[in-house]
Amino acid sequence: MSHTYTSIGWNRQKRVYDLVMVAGIVAFLALFAGLGSVVHPNATIETLLIRGFGTLALLMLHVVLIIGPLCRLSPRFLPLLYNRRHLGVTMFLVALGHGGFSIFQFHALGELNPLVSVFVSNTRYSSLSNFPFQPLGLFALIILFLMAATSHDFWLANLTAPVWKRLHLLVYVAYALIVAHVLLGVLQAETNPILAALLGLGMALVLGLHLVAGYRERRLDEEVKPKTADDYVDVCGVDEIPEKRACIATLAGERVAVFKYDGKVSAISNVCQHQNGPLGEGRIIDGCVTCPWHGYQYLPESGASPPPFTEKVPTFNVRVANGRVLVDPRPNKPGERVEPTSVS
Amino acid sequence: MIRPLRVRHRWMITLLAVALIALFIAALVARKPAPVAPRIPETIKIGRAGYQPALPILGVDKIGRAGYQPAPPILGGERR
């Protein structure tokens, strides 16, 4: 939530996170170069760094990608999500190290422009084992650059969350390009089965977790709730909602979060205005619905962020009958106040 | 996340899974076998005086004639 512009809202947690991350990167590269020089004594330091940066970027991309589905499957992983963008931007810088060193080492010493050389030095597109894998990595790097450059909330606010999310879904295209870059590049030369097995394991983890989380989300989307005569939807029992938490239901194709707090219930859209996070998986803190992803807050009765913040989400009319919570699926305007319904 | 985006996300992941698994298998199948170590004649490898390497097995000569008997190897070893 930013009512004034600050480049990064630093806090202690973010500083510690970044320090640990940088220390981890330095340790990984030192270990990789040290072990590499023992196992391959003829390898130059440039070669070891190219491989070290590449391996680390691939590892970090896998971590970045599994955080999302892990959080969908269990809220225990939510703390990992808070600084995911820092991890993503750092991963881009590490990948840039790999790409930069590679282009310098393999393409900068000829007469051609190094970037042109990446595309014309190998044109065996019809061969799988000799496929020009370097352009795949370069395309992935361009996507990662676009994502890193627009990762700040400034761009999120200007592009709007849906456009920003569409742009950032390109990470899956980048992932496919990078996996192809590795499979058709280093794994064609290095025939050690452990390397292929590790990549297969990473792919299985990323794809498997996404598919399982997607299957669960789909079930929630397709759930049909009973309706009353005036088109209100029976969402759940009052007793089923824990205090200061919500029950989520899909009404007219969109998700609604019904919160119970202080003997009352209120319903707002489940979609946070920041990054479209699931508000219904958050809880009420200091009287505000708090998004579990990045802590954006909304008043449950109006769907508006407390002043001075300006974000607003739609509200829904609610009533309670026979211990059941009934919600009108037609949304009110974002920020429109609806008197909370007493559960007694 | 809003619904059309969720649905697109699911489709994208499904397509990605199928494409990447196919590519993974194809790339590993297309991989060239690991290069074997070059065969070094026993006489050079051992190099001790009086060493008699095993007689080569009857093979095929350079132009494909079976039953080719290469000349018996010369006693290997260092020249004194």
Side-chain angles (χ1 to χ4, degrees):
Chain A
M1 210 172 354
S2 56
H3 66 292
T4 54
Y5 177 79
T6 49
S7 57
I8 298 176
W10 286 108
N11 55 31
R12 188 176 177 278
Q13 204 252 19
K14 284 183 184 172
R15 285 198 178 90
V16 170
Y17 183 94
D18 285 5
L19 276 174
V20 170
M21 189 166 58
V22 171
I25 288 169
V26 171
F28 181 93
L29 289 176
L31 197 68
F32 193 97
L35 284 177
S37 61
V38 172
V39 178
H40 302 289
N42 296 326
T44 62
I45 186 67
E46 291 90 346
T47 303
L48 291 173
L49 281 178
I50 287 170
R51 292 194 167 196
F53 274 117
T55 308
L56 181 58
L58 186 63
L59 183 67
M60 289 173 80
L61 180 60
H62 277 86
V63 175
V64 167
L65 285 175
I66 63 170
I67 288 175
L70 281 178
C71 292
R72 307 302 311 137
L73 294 170
S74 168
R76 280 180 306 165
F77 295 102
L78 280 170
L80 295 175
L81 199 71
Y82 184 65
N83 283 325
R84 185 172 58 168
R85 274 188 284 177
H86 287 223
L87 190 60
V89 172
T90 312
M91 185 273 294
F92 161 69
L93 294 175
V94 172
L96 186 64
H98 170 76
F101 271 120
S102 303
I103 289 174
F104 186 78
Q105 169 121 331
F106 301 118
H107 297 279
L109 303 175
E111 291 180 352
L112 275 178
N113 179 316
L115 288 177
V116 175
S117 173
V118 169
F119 290 98
V120 300
S121 59
N122 176 9
T123 52
R124 284 171 286 183
Y125 287 95
S126 57
S127 162
L128 206 54
S129 58
N130 294 307
F131 194 86
F133 64 95
Q134 290 175 339
L136 301 175
L138 188 58
F139 283 129
L141 200 58
I142 291 168
I143 291 175
L144 295 178
F145 166 72
L146 279 176
M147 291 178 57
T150 57
S151 68
H152 194 275
D153 274 358
F154 171 83
W155 286 103
L156 181 54
N158 279 285
L159 293 172
T160 72
V163 174
W164 188 87
K165 283 200 89 75
R166 280 186 180 90
L167 176 68
H168 282 242
L169 279 180
L170 285 176
V171 71
Y172 296 106
V173 178
Y175 180 68
L177 287 169
I178 288 170
V179 168
H181 172 76
V182 174
L183 277 171
L184 302 176
V186 68
L187 284 190
Q188 294 299 317
E190 295 283 347
T191 49
N192 189 333
I194 294 174
L195 298 177
L198 284 175
L199 181 66
L201 185 69
M203 281 170 57
L205 208 58
V206 168
L207 299 173
L209 283 172
H210 274 85
L211 290 173
V212 171
Y215 175 73
R216 275 180 49 164
E217 296 280 310
R218 190 180 165 196
R219 271 198 318 187
L220 185 63
D221 276 345
E222 290 177 348
E223 203 175 0
V224 179
K225 300 275 188 184
K227 282 186 176 182
T228 60
D230 53 354
D231 272 351
Y232 272 58
V233 179
D234 185 339
V235 168
C236 61
V238 173
D239 297 342
E240 293 171 39
I241 312 176
E243 179 66 12
K244 294 194 190 302
R245 296 225 177 232
C247 154
I248 302 170
T250 305
L251 309 181
E254 253 330 321
R255 289 184 186 173
V256 175
V258 182
F259 280 90
K260 186 168 87 173
Y261 56 102
D262 307 330
K264 298 174 284 186
V265 284
S266 288
I268 61 172
S269 164
N270 190 50
V271 181
C272 178
Q273 285 295 288
H274 177 223
Q275 276 194 24
N276 294 167
L279 289 176
E281 292 174 28
R283 58 197 169 99
I284 292 185
I285 299 172
D286 299 330
C288 292
V289 171
T290 305
C291 180
W293 282 10
H294 301 95
Y296 273 52
Q297 291 188 307
Y298 304 88
L299 294 164
E301 63 275 14
S302 67
S305 292
F309 305 108
T310 55
E311 288 80 13
K312 290 172 185 166
V313 294
T315 54
F316 292 81
N317 297 328
V318 187
R319 67 170 194 253
V320 174
N322 302 324
R324 306 290 301 173
V325 179
L326 309 173
V327 180
D328 184 350
R330 289 158 295 193
N332 298 310
K333 285 180 188 162
E336 186 176 324
R337 183 180 164 82
V338 173
E339 199 57 40
T341 307
S342 172
V343 296
S344 55
Chain B
M1 202 191 289
I2 49 181
R3 192 168 185 227
L5 215 51
R6 276 202 307 272
V7 173
R8 194 172 304 163
H9 191 189
R10 283 201 287 265
W11 271 108
M12 199 172 194
I13 294 297
T14 310
L15 286 174
L16 188 73
V18 173
L20 284 185
I21 291 167
L23 180 68
F24 187 81
I25 295 167
L28 293 189
V29 168
R31 216 155 53 153
K32 288 173 186 158
V36 290
R39 296 182 69 184
I40 302 166
E42 291 293 308
T43 48
I44 296 171
K45 242 180 8 184
I46 306 298
R48 285 175 308 201
Y51 171 69
Q52 173 63 67
L55 281 173
I57 301 160
L58 280 181
V60 178
D61 72 358
K62 285 180 186 170
I63 56 170
R65 290 174 300 195
Y68 170 68
Q69 172 65 68
I74 302 159
L75 283 179
E78 293 161 357
R79 288 170 189 267
R80 299 188 182 212

